[in-house]
Amino acid sequence: MATVSRHAVRARSICILFVILFIQGCAQLPPRNASSLSYAFDRPEETRLGREVQPYLQNQPSDSGFYIQDTGREAFLQRAALIEAAEQSIDAQYYIWNSDVSGTYLVRRLLVAADRGVRVRLLLDDVNLDGRDSMFAALDQHPNIKISIYNPFVTRSGIGKWLNFVTDFQRLNQRMHNKTFVVDGALGIMGGRNIGDEYFDLHPQMNFRDRDVLIAGPIVADLSANFDAFWNSASSYPISQLEPDAVQEQDLNAQLDQIRASASDITGLTRVPPQNSRSALEYMLQTLSGLIWAEGKLVFDSPSVDAQADADSPQRSAQMLHQLVEQADKNILVESAYLILGDDQLDILRQIRARGVRVSALTNSLASNDLTTNHAGYARRRGAMLANGAELYELRPDAAGCSSWIEMPGFCNNGAVGLHAKSAVFDRKTLYIGSFNINLRSIYLNSETVLVIHSPQLAERLAQDIEAAMAPENSWRVTRDADGQLLWSAGEDQLWTHEPATGFWRRFKSGLFSLLPMEKYL
């Protein structure tokens, strides 16, 4: 009887699972509320930030100004200052916005900006939004704040969300990986950083070497066009439509008041950001004096409109990078958190090496990678990349460069550094910085944003920065011996035959995942 009972329980469980999957498969998003359509503020000359930028534009009317944010400290302070200096609009588009120290602080200051009349539009990808619906839904009730969710799940949380992923895989597998921030139509930021402590030198255990660009000039309008395209896309839903009951009306004011009450709280921050317009403008004026003016181009992928669209053709940002690769004559330096090439990309690598172009790439080691699965996809193709002529370097979590990359007191003695930057330099004349990893997901699936800058000055600076990160004290060089055995080295005296600074179990998991042909989805 006990055996029958167990079989019966198992059968019921399977039936329940099939019912849940059937329900998830039948569930659909509601028709999108078209009243959420809106467009970027386009009169920057009417704002203080716009007037401060104007004198620079008179001398370089067709060029844009660029300031590379190499450290998380700069990246955080410039975003905070721009929020305080804003008079008309703030448009922010992110793949991840964490509710940690930095993410919560910036949300509070967005509310303060909205209270003084600034229009705030916040567009977030849905895949990492778990647990924050209530806070964002509360903010959305403010008359000057609107929040939309890109490519949302029908079921918002729990196991139902991931069952929804199984039953609607093709649509939900396409994500908005863009990271852009535009204030008053005058200044913008784009690049590799999400919003979270590990991107701003504030995490106690793991901080990322990452890279963004502060932009002034004509390209800011292109950043706004990128934002509007996604904001007004059929794939973006107002959070109020997805979560109509997330905030009870009687609790709304209390939640907003609670956020306001802590708006100036800097607990957990290792630097004091500007918290009023005067100090913010002073800070930004100092930053503007460091802009490098050059020819540039912003390229962004179109938002997804067809869940059944072909995912086997490179997107617009990938096509732009391919053009840069084909135009290179001497050398290409690549820095990519995730580095996974498919057969087509390996063919391209072989062709450019055959015509004498040197290709050197820095990516995460297994020890510095935050995602073992992504490292496994890279490891699966690592030998082929070496065979086709790439020089490979893997970041050390104990990199000596941590002290100059991560501006957090005491961190480098106790924490690990990882790589999250997505950059490249072509012939030391042209560079790109963006959200685009050199992997199949960025090439075919995600929406990405890429900034191409034609500036020997900035290209040389970035090339030196990447090369310094490839030095033995910062990275392991990966090579093969005569028998094809992979070797990791840090100078002449240190050599490993397996991935350094990792235990057996982690190497086993990476090896197990690398057996699976899932590179495109990592």
Side-chain angles (χ1 to χ4, degrees):
M1 292 293 292
T3 302
V4 174
S5 178
R6 283 197 297 270
H7 285 313
V9 169
R10 186 178 304 149
R12 283 197 298 270
S13 299
I14 293 173
C15 288
I16 291 171
L17 177 60
F18 275 113
V19 169
I20 292 173
L21 287 171
F22 176 77
I23 293 172
Q24 292 293 330
C26 294
Q28 293 183 338
L29 290 166
R32 183 178 181 274
N33 183 359
S35 65
S36 63
L37 296 178
S38 65
Y39 297 90
F41 177 77
D42 61 359
R43 301 184 305 281
E45 67 280 359
E46 297 178 7
T47 69
R48 288 170 295 185
L49 284 174
R51 289 192 292 271
E52 295 296 344
V53 171
Q54 197 61 37
Y56 295 95
L57 295 175
Q58 293 173 358
N59 297 324
Q60 298 98 354
S62 61
D63 288 346
S64 292
F66 306 104
Y67 184 105
I68 297 179
Q69 297 175 343
D70 281 322
T71 68
R73 180 181 187 275
E74 281 186 317
F76 176 77
L77 289 178
Q78 289 181 21
R79 284 168 173 81
L82 286 174
I83 291 173
E84 303 306 321
E87 293 179 281
Q88 293 291 335
S89 69
I90 300 171
D91 290 336
Q93 173 190 24
Y94 282 96
Y95 178 62
I96 296 174
W97 192 301
N98 287 334
S99 55
D100 50 15
V101 173
S102 57
T104 301
Y105 177 83
L106 293 176
V107 160
R108 293 169 185 158
R109 302 312 297 181
L110 288 176
L111 177 59
V112 172
D115 282 344
R116 66 174 184 266
V118 177
R119 184 190 70 172
V120 176
R121 295 189 297 173
L122 183 57
L123 178 59
L124 302 172
D125 188 89
D126 198 28
V127 77
N128 291 294
L129 205 60
D130 285 348
R132 290 182 282 277
D133 279 348
S134 178
M135 178 183 71
F136 287 125
L139 289 168
D140 184 72
Q141 299 302 310
H142 191 290
N144 290 329
I145 299 178
K146 292 302 171 191
I147 297 175
S148 284
I149 308 303
Y150 181 80
N151 202 9
F153 289 74
V154 175
T155 304
R156 307 290 303 139
S157 61
I159 189 172
K161 178 174 182 177
W162 299 110
L163 289 172
N164 184 198
F165 190 83
V166 171
T167 58
D168 198 5
F169 180 78
Q170 188 161 348
R171 177 180 73 85
L172 294 173
N173 193 42
Q174 192 277 329
R175 306 314 316 173
M176 183 190 75
H177 199 235
N178 313 45
K179 305 108 168 44
T180 69
F181 189 89
V182 180
V183 174
D184 286 350
L187 291 169
I189 296 172
M190 65 81 64
R193 287 183 178 90
N194 296 296
I195 303 297
D197 290 352
E198 60 267 41
Y199 307 98
F200 296 134
D201 301 355
L202 289 168
H203 198 283
Q205 284 89 40
M206 165 69 87
N207 282 293
F208 289 122
R209 168 185 164 88
D210 214 332
R211 189 170 287 107
D212 290 323
V213 187
L214 175 73
I215 306 169
I219 286 181
V220 177
D222 298 329
L223 278 174
S224 290
N226 160 79
F227 183 93
D228 284 349
F230 281 83
W231 182 266
N232 294 320
S233 161
S235 297
S236 295
Y237 278 70
I239 195 170
S240 58
Q241 191 175 1
L242 298 173
E243 293 289 337
D245 301 322
V247 179
Q248 300 297 322
E249 186 64 32
Q250 62 268 26
D251 296 331
L252 173 60
N253 290 332
Q255 290 196 48
L256 293 180
D257 286 343
Q258 185 177 12
I259 296 172
R260 288 188 186 96
S262 56
S264 299
D265 185 0
I266 58 171
T267 302
L269 298 178
T270 58
R271 74 283 308 200
V272 179
Q275 292 192 325
N276 58 64
S277 61
R278 182 181 60 81
S279 60
L281 279 170
E282 290 176 356
Y283 180 84
M284 291 311 302
L285 283 176
Q286 294 175 0
T287 304
L288 291 178
S289 65
L291 290 172
I292 303 297
W293 292 82
E295 177 189 353
K297 182 176 183 178
L298 186 81
V299 179
F300 61 90
D301 298 326
S302 300
S304 174
V305 294
D306 181 4
Q308 305 304 316
D310 180 18
D312 294 323
S313 299
Q315 298 186 92
R316 190 181 303 160
S317 57
Q319 293 173 23
M320 168 55 69
L321 292 180
H322 183 216
Q323 290 178 26
L324 294 173
V325 168
E326 290 298 316
Q327 292 166 5
D329 294 322
K330 299 177 181 178
N331 52 69
I332 301 172
L333 283 168
V334 174
E335 186 177 44
S336 182
Y338 309 126
L339 179 62
I340 304 173
L341 303 187
D343 292 340
D344 290 345
Q345 292 74 41
L346 288 170
D347 285 342
I348 293 169
L349 174 61
R350 182 169 56 252
Q351 293 165 16
I352 61 175
R353 286 296 293 125
R355 56 184 176 84
V357 179
R358 181 182 179 186
V359 180
S360 305
L362 172 68
T363 190
N364 275 301
S365 63
L366 177 57
S368 70
N369 205 316
D370 61 326
L371 294 172
T372 300
T373 50
N374 285 46
H375 183 83
Y378 156 72
R380 180 181 168 91
R381 294 291 179 137
R382 182 166 43 197
M385 283 188 276
L386 290 169
N388 283 282
E391 299 175 10
L392 295 182
Y393 298 82
E394 297 180 2
L395 186 72
R396 300 171 56 153
D398 62 346
C402 175
S403 58
S404 58
W405 302 336
I406 309 298
E407 297 186 352
M408 180 180 183
F411 168 78
C412 293
N413 296 325
N414 304 297
V417 61
L419 181 67
H420 197 261
K422 306 101 168 50
S423 313
V425 181
F426 303 88
D427 291 339
R428 300 179 103 88
K429 296 185 298 184
T430 299
L431 65 147
Y432 100 78
I433 296 173
S435 66
F436 189 103
N437 286 297
I438 308 299
N439 69 351
L440 303 185
R441 172 167 280 282
S442 288
I443 293 171
Y444 298 109
L445 295 173
N446 285 348
S447 64
E448 307 286 359
T449 309
V450 167
L451 175 65
V452 178
I453 307 172
H454 302 287
S455 167
Q457 179 181 356
L458 286 176
E460 180 62 32
R461 173 182 155 187
L462 181 54
Q464 292 181 11
D465 198 33
I466 295 174
E467 287 173 338
M470 291 174 171
E473 64 270 22
N474 294 318
S475 293
W476 294 298
R477 172 80 184 269
V478 186
T479 57
R480 299 192 303 173
D481 63 17
D483 298 323
Q485 170 72 39
L486 291 177
L487 301 173
W488 286 259
S489 62
E492 297 179 358
D493 301 330
Q494 295 178 292
L495 192 67
W496 293 263
T497 57
H498 62 69
E499 292 172 300
T502 57
F504 169 79
W505 178 239
R506 191 168 187 185
R507 295 196 300 271
F508 174 79
K509 287 192 295 182
S510 176
L512 185 64
F513 285 129
S514 70
L515 298 175
L516 305 175
M518 57 181 184
E519 297 101 319
K520 189 172 182 178
Y521 305 107
L522 300 175

